[in-house]
Amino acid sequence: WVCQADIRLGYFNSQSSKSLYLLFKELKQITNSGKTLALSWHYDGEDENIEEFVELLKEDMGIEVTLLKE
């Protein structure tokens, strides 16, 4: 069983980061239950904030995320 998720954000700020952190906590439950999570994050390649945020989430949550520059 694989859960596929794609994230695309047109705007990213501190409030959206809080919401995304909560979403990632829920997604972590999928991997904790033994299921596979395939998560792709599409973003503007010039936005370093998103890159840093995703890297921190990957480290903190242990979820594999594929970053895709657009």
Side-chain angles (χ1 to χ4, degrees), residues 7-67:
I7 297 175
R8 285 184 173 89
L9 297 175
Y11 183 72
F12 182 79
N13 61 21
S14 60
Q15 184 59 43
S16 57
S17 69
K18 290 176 188 176
S19 297
L20 286 167
Y21 189 83
L22 294 174
L23 172 65
F24 269 67
K25 282 180 72 172
E26 292 298 318
L27 292 173
K28 180 65 179 166
Q29 296 303 314
I30 292 171
T31 59
N32 286 344
S33 67
K35 295 176 176 71
T36 301
L37 173 64
L39 182 60
S40 299
W41 190 308
H42 304 262
Y43 72 106
D44 178 353
E46 296 180 12
D47 191 340
E48 295 176 3
N49 292 329
I50 289 180
E51 285 185 38
E52 291 173 15
F53 177 76
V54 171
E55 290 301 321
L56 288 172
L57 280 175
K58 287 169 61 174
E59 291 174 17
D60 190 34
M61 298 287 183
I63 297 174
E64 188 58 40
V65 180
T66 302
L67 284 170

